[in-house]
Amino acid sequence: MYNTMHGSYTKDTNFFKSTTPFDLINEYGSPIYVYNEDVFRQRCKDIKHLVTYDNFVPHYSIKANTNIHLLKIAREEGLHADTMSPGEIFMALKSGFTSEELFYIPNNATKEDFEYAISHNVLTSVDSVEQLELYCSLNPNSKVAVRFNPGVGAGHHNKVVTAGKKTKFGVNMDEFEAVNQIIEKHNMTLVGINQHIGSLFMHSEAFIESTTCLLEFAKRFDSLEFIDLGGGFGIPYKKQDGEAPIDLEDLGKEMDKLFKGFANTYGRNIQFQIEPGRYVACESGIILGQITGTKKNADTMYIGTDIGFNVLARPMMYGSHHDIELYTNDIEYDATISPYTVVGNICESGDILATDRMLPKPKYGDLIGIMDAGAYGFAMSTSYNQRPRCAEVLIKSSGEVQQIRRKETFEDLIALMQ
Ligand SMILES: *Cc1c(COP(=O)(O)O)cnc(C)c1O
């Protein structure tokens, strides 16, 4: 048995089922990424059943978490997959997705990138007029999609707002004629148009506004087989402060209305797609690590952990908030809370997981849990400071724990230099 000194998400959701944070760390090392299959499947189902419109094909944007075991589950749940690079196409195919179930949406692709997708029969979306010319010259008499910029963006940080005037993404809608000319010149069919406005919106307004705009624009093309509205569906990172989840039911209803209205005017039940990454993977994953101690420097109290920005980059990169839980083996502990800056073990002052977080005082040997780390967590981790990348385990619906990626070793660190 163990006690949770702070936080209740893993207790409330029975996240660990019959195992415990201490058992997991003892068995697989620290730190460690832990996923819960039930939560992951549920999020896939939420997305799969978002609307009632019958020609709806949601894609999981696999860059959020590319573990092959999770990809297999997403496919079992009926999702297709979005890929951003040849490596992601490779991983998706390895995990069982067929070429027809993949969509390739690269940014600043090279000829070699496009050729990889072409040779694997993966439909591609291009991101600029020049890229369209390049792609069409490599693969004439075929099908292509174009990513347009609807002029409306959204997101949790300006680094992840991917539409509107201040981003490198998408073809401007006023380049319609140039797009058409290239399509005709190479005898192509423009089968799809797509957008992706940014990452992590919690309210539907910007999404509905940009979608309305894209649909209006879509009427100018008569060859479309699908319209892809992108990802960005948010999750509540501040659950401990009572943050509510995005209202998917309401969003689904609004989307249904737009889809049905468009199908009526367009004259056929065109396919609609979305591409959520974070929503599918985020809440199914947490990171467990060890407390290495506490200390006071000037007026700041620090909690030390073995979770540096090599393990979780988001707080350092975007200033992101992740809820924190603390676990102890002690039967009794002091529950008094005070403000702490929670830091990792990397040799940089920016290596901060959380600032001014109200927590009880842990001690060496207690454990920390970082919530909502299933998306852009392991996928963005590195071996900086020669810390081997950590293991990933899956707590299956049956309760069984399966290691889905082993911890890297020192030998792995040197393997490619030999
Ligand atoms: C990253 C990305 C997504 C997924 O974004 P989330 O915020 O994780 O839902 C979808 N589409 C494109 C084109 C992307 O680049």
Side-chain angles (χ1 to χ4, degrees), residues 15 22 68 119 168 186 211 235 292 332 405:
F15 192 93
F22 288 91
I68 197 163
S119 67
K168 64 171 178 166
H186 296 279
T211 299
I235 69 104
T292 53
E332 283 181 34
R405 194 181 204 272

Side-chain angles (χ1 to χ4, degrees), residues 79 135 355:
L79 302 189
Y135 182 85
T355 314

Side-chain angles (χ1 to χ4, degrees), residues 61 63 84 105 147 196 199-200 231-233 275-278 376:
S61 180
K63 73 173 190 278
M84 305 286 142
I105 315 180
R147 175 172 179 172
H196 173 60
S199 197
L200 214 178
F233 303 80
E275 320 162 337
R278 183 189 318 275
Y376 307 108

